[in-house]
Amino acid sequence: MTTKLYKNAADALEVLESGQRVFIHGASSTPLRLIEGLVGHADRLRNVEIMHLHTFGDACYADQRYAESFRVANLFVGGNMRPYYDGDRVDYLPCFLSEIPALFRSGQRPIDVALMHLSPPDKHGFCTLGCSVDVALEALLTAKTVIAQINPRMPRVHGDGFVHISRVDHYIEVDEPIPEVAPAILGDVELAIGRNAAGLIEDGATLQMGIGGIPDAVLKALHGHRHLGVHTEMWSDGLLDLIEAGAVDNSRKKTHRGKTVSGFIMGTQRVYDFIDDDPSVIQARIDWVNSPHEIAKNPKVTAINSAIEVDLTGQVCADSIGHRIISGVGGQMDFIRGASLSQGGKPIIALPSRTRKGRSRLVSALNSGAGVVTTRSHVHYIVTEYGVANLFGRTLNERAEALIAIAHPDDREQLSREWREIRAS
């Protein structure tokens, strides 16, 4: 099919048909104008399944008024999807991030139409997937039809995300800002967690971190470190501070030495300006980035992930509050395992000792319905603002004692009592 330019999203999306499966590019590459065009066709469409990771903007296609037109199989339930999640019409598909490309390739959930957000073609005709290569590359490569919005403000990012314009069937041109994520405001709890976690990180370590207060606090505490490397699912402004400070130079990595490697990037315009056409920044397909085998090739891989709650045996719930899904499996297990297999690696789960409502996040038993994202046998380090518990090589009782010691002081007696009752039962 010949690549065709349209004046607006509504016209470009005329090819959509009822019963199709539509993938939407996610994170900072969310194609907002194409989503508007998609919703504009709701009256004529029926039973269209939408799939995506975290997206930005108002996910109005998930609203009940479009129930006959659209249903959603979330690969990650972001903040904009949580109000709509009902476990039926708007559902969640649990899958390791590293395995989602294989899901698309397998034909078990084939993509009919991929809605993408691309940087403009260069003189050779190559666009890039910009801020989000992750699973989007495989969705684009396997989709029967590719529809794109091409935006001069989308960074041109090196790595696996180059796409020749001839692979795009229909496109529109837009000129609008890329969605931004402001850095988290760090409180005393986050800063204390950051210092405790940073104490585990050695010079020359290869880092994996997420986004938010705790990852930013850890990164803030690493400015005195040297020769750090980055092989991570994603990164944001907190890491850029470390790169500019000289703490990150990627000089000790075994794969892509000298390069900051990730699957997607979310941050402020400052980050987008930095990554634009910078050959030291590589965006790669997520089945490679998140492969435990590839992760483990680097030295001293230190994976920093968070959790909603952790029980006293070390089971980690990171995707739900009870039965209510609030995020997804993501790549936590990919990196926890990869870090544990790395020479000198350290898998870390870092979390506040309490919720904002004062409930302990270290619990004798997970909430009913809570999903175990990381098993007790995979967990090594648990970090709170009160210290570090190394669970590797410890019995269940030794683990419980170590975790109670880093719980909020006001919760320790209750946790000890509950643990004694569990042992006695």
Side-chain angles (χ1 to χ4, degrees), residues 328-348:
V329 172
Q332 182 174 120
M333 267 293 297
D334 297 329
F335 276 93
I336 290 290
R337 190 61 180 151
S340 68
L341 296 173
S342 164
Q343 184 175 1
K346 295 176 181 177
I348 298 170

Side-chain angles (χ1 to χ4, degrees), residues 189-394:
V189 170
E190 289 83 7
L191 291 170
I193 295 171
R195 290 190 295 269
N196 289 338
L200 296 170
I201 300 172
E202 303 173 50
D203 286 348
T206 302
L207 303 179
Q208 177 262 330
M209 77 301 293
I211 189 172
I214 290 175
D216 282 355
V218 177
L219 293 168
K220 185 178 180 66
L222 292 177
H223 280 251
H225 284 59
R226 289 296 176 262
H227 305 303
L228 297 172
V230 177
H231 181 111
T232 184
E233 183 177 303
M234 64 84 58
W235 60 274
S236 189
D237 288 68
L239 180 64
L240 180 54
D241 292 339
L242 272 190
I243 295 172
E244 293 181 337
V248 170
D249 63 12
N250 293 294
S251 63
R252 304 292 171 87
K253 291 167 60 180
K254 298 298 184 183
T255 62
H256 285 301
R257 184 169 293 177
K259 310 290 186 181
T260 296
V261 174
S262 64
F264 65 102
I265 297 169
M266 297 193 300
T268 64
Q269 188 61 45
R270 173 172 162 254
V271 171
Y272 306 148
D273 290 342
F274 178 83
I275 66 176
D276 184 38
D277 207 22
D278 186 334
S280 74
V281 176
I282 298 291
Q283 290 268 78
R285 56 192 307 150
I286 211 67
D287 47 355
W288 179 85
V289 172
N290 281 38
S291 164
H293 174 73
E294 296 296 335
I295 294 165
K297 289 179 180 178
N298 286 307
K300 302 178 183 178
V301 173
T302 306
I304 305 160
N305 290 276
S306 195
I308 294 167
E309 59 180 3
V310 178
D311 78 10
L312 293 182
T313 72
Q315 294 187 115
V316 176
C317 172
D319 65 352
S320 67
I321 298 176
H323 291 278
R324 183 165 64 91
I325 302 294
I326 64 167
S327 57
V329 172
Q332 182 174 120
M333 267 293 297
D334 297 329
F335 276 93
I336 290 290
R337 190 61 180 151
S340 68
L341 296 173
S342 164
Q343 184 175 1
K346 295 176 181 177
I348 298 170
I349 298 292
L351 73 165
S353 64
R354 281 181 160 182
T355 68
R356 292 177 182 175
K357 294 182 178 180
R359 178 182 176 276
S360 180
R361 289 181 181 268
L362 301 178
V363 295
S364 57
L366 298 178
N367 277 332
S368 175
V372 176
V373 170
T374 298
T375 74
R376 59 170 70 103
S377 57
H378 287 97
V379 167
H380 287 212
Y381 295 93
I382 304 291
V383 177
T384 73
E385 70 270 31
Y386 293 104
V388 177
N390 184 0
L391 306 188
F392 185 67
R394 293 192 173 189

